[in-house]
Amino acid sequence: MLVLLPPSEGKAGDGAGAPLDPGSLSLPALTGARDAVLTELVELCTGDEVKAREVLGLTERQRSEVARNAALRSAPARPAGELYTGVLYDALGLASLDAAARRRARASLLVFSGLWGAVRITDRIPAYRCSGGVRLPGIGALAAHWREPLAAALPAEAGSGPVLDLRSSAYAAMWRPTDELAARTVTVRVLQSRIVDGVERRSVVSHFNKATKGRLLRDLLTAGALPRAPRRLAEALRDLGYLVETPGPGRLDVVVSEL
């Protein structure tokens, strides 16, 4: 099973280590598209800081992110699985998985990125700031920039098994499975169930959506419950104690009462 993840704005500190080696990254078919984004991003952040912050959607308090981007080619790199530290990744807890679960994670997880397109959690990358919704002055919208390269590279990564899509909308726009692969893709929505005046009400959660997705992915990896067919995914999650509903083909609702 291939699992598609969003990145995280939260990232570990630079630390120490060798700088980025673009040739070492997974999905080498993306190398040219990666270099185009990296080159323009570094040039943008080396120039007018105010313009760079405007393009990247950063506040004045986040000006250090501009300097960080300017130094991307020489900055220390670390595995993507260690770099991302946001809500989903904190709940997933890659570092505390047992050895078997870590092997499953290395084989199945693919992280989308406005800068890199998509990387494996073992790919060594530097800390950066460039969301999938950014529009660079030269390249334009990054979602559009990545569609063709990812459409060419990712079907082979998916193989013949199911695809579990846990991405947010900005990163889902970079690549949408089509044809037969779309029929094997399952997206997950997290709903909160509350009793209001004796009546159940459900609402889509936002911040805790990420935490729930991280926890359910951790549970799947730990239990070795990565199904070989999309129809078995709901069953696997139910076996792990989740309340799961199937509102339509390729869609799962995970219903939670406590966040």
Side-chain angles (χ1 to χ4, degrees):
M1 183 169 74
L2 183 66
V3 181
L4 311 181
L5 296 176
S8 169
E9 289 187 358
K11 297 178 180 69
D14 291 336
L20 170 73
D21 175 7
S24 71
L25 299 181
S26 302
L27 285 75
L30 302 181
T31 299
R34 286 169 175 154
D35 185 66
V37 180
L38 178 60
T39 296
E40 183 170 354
L41 183 61
V42 169
E43 289 179 356
L44 172 70
C45 293
T46 304
D48 185 335
E49 180 198 294
V50 174
K51 178 181 179 181
R53 285 197 283 109
E54 180 181 350
V55 169
L56 299 174
L58 303 175
T59 67
E60 185 174 357
R61 290 185 177 183
Q62 296 171 308
R63 60 192 306 175
S64 62
E65 301 284 0
V66 176
R68 172 179 279 179
N69 281 349
L72 279 171
R73 293 193 183 275
S74 58
R78 67 173 67 200
E82 299 176 11
L83 180 70
Y84 296 115
T85 60
V87 174
L88 186 153
Y89 292 89
D90 288 345
L92 173 55
L94 287 168
S96 62
L97 291 174
D98 61 39
R102 285 198 299 272
R103 287 195 297 271
R104 298 181 191 111
R106 289 193 292 267
S108 62
L109 306 189
L110 196 66
V111 184
F112 278 64
S113 163
L115 174 53
W116 313 111
V119 293
R120 293 286 186 178
I121 60 171
T122 52
D123 286 329
R124 297 181 67 260
I125 55 177
Y128 67 95
R129 190 63 175 264
C130 184
S131 74
V134 162
R135 178 183 293 271
L136 293 176
I139 288 175
L142 290 180
H145 171 77
W146 285 113
R147 283 185 193 125
E148 186 174 339
L150 289 170
L154 293 190
E157 295 293 312
S160 59
V163 176
L164 176 59
D165 191 348
L166 301 180
R167 297 174 296 169
S168 53
S169 57
Y171 296 96
M174 291 169 56
W175 176 65
R176 299 186 190 279
T178 59
D179 303 326
E180 184 270 339
L181 184 54
R184 292 191 273 121
T185 300
V186 178
T187 60
V188 173
R189 182 174 63 165
V190 180
L191 300 177
Q192 181 186 12
S193 172
R194 295 177 298 164
I195 303 300
V196 180
D197 296 330
V199 178
E200 183 191 30
R201 299 188 184 276
R202 292 182 177 182
S203 59
V204 176
V205 296
S206 55
H207 177 83
F208 291 100
N209 165 60
K210 299 176 183 179
T212 300
K213 288 179 177 178
R215 287 195 293 268
L216 71 83
L217 179 54
R218 180 184 178 88
D219 289 344
L220 288 169
L221 292 168
T222 300
L226 301 180
R228 297 181 180 275
R231 65 181 183 277
R232 299 297 302 275
L233 183 57
E235 180 182 336
L237 288 171
R238 290 183 184 119
D239 288 345
L240 291 169
Y242 290 90
L243 174 57
V244 179
E245 298 177 354
T246 54
R251 296 168 55 198
L252 293 183
D253 284 348
V254 176
V255 183
V256 297
S257 56
E258 296 182 0
L259 299 175

